[in-house]
Amino acid sequence: MIRIRGVDTVLGVAYSDADLIEFLRRIDIPDPDELVLGDSEVIAWQGGQPHQYE
């Protein structure tokens, strides 16, 4: 789920960082690779540790 301007939107289920990067790319987020792989504080990981997908 992503929150944009206070509205939650489900983009899909990410099974890897590559999936998450692609979802962000589709909604025109600048530099999604850097955002995900750079451990930005903009991303709030839910459930487990960052970058761990089940």
Side-chain angles (χ1 to χ4, degrees), residues 14-49:
Y15 295 98
S16 67
D17 285 344
D19 290 344
L20 180 54
I21 290 166
E22 180 58 25
F23 292 147
L24 296 175
R25 186 171 286 133
R26 288 180 189 176
I27 60 169
D28 297 323
I29 297 295
D31 301 317
D33 300 74
E34 185 176 316
L35 188 67
V36 173
L37 301 176
D39 291 326
S40 171
E41 293 183 15
V42 174
I43 297 176
W45 299 92
Q46 301 289 316
Q49 296 294 318

Side-chain angles (χ1 to χ4, degrees), residues 1-12 23 27:
M1 182 172 358
I2 188 168
R3 179 171 287 217
I4 301 172
R5 295 181 188 102
V7 177
D8 291 338
T9 303
V10 176
L11 301 175
F23 292 147
I27 60 169

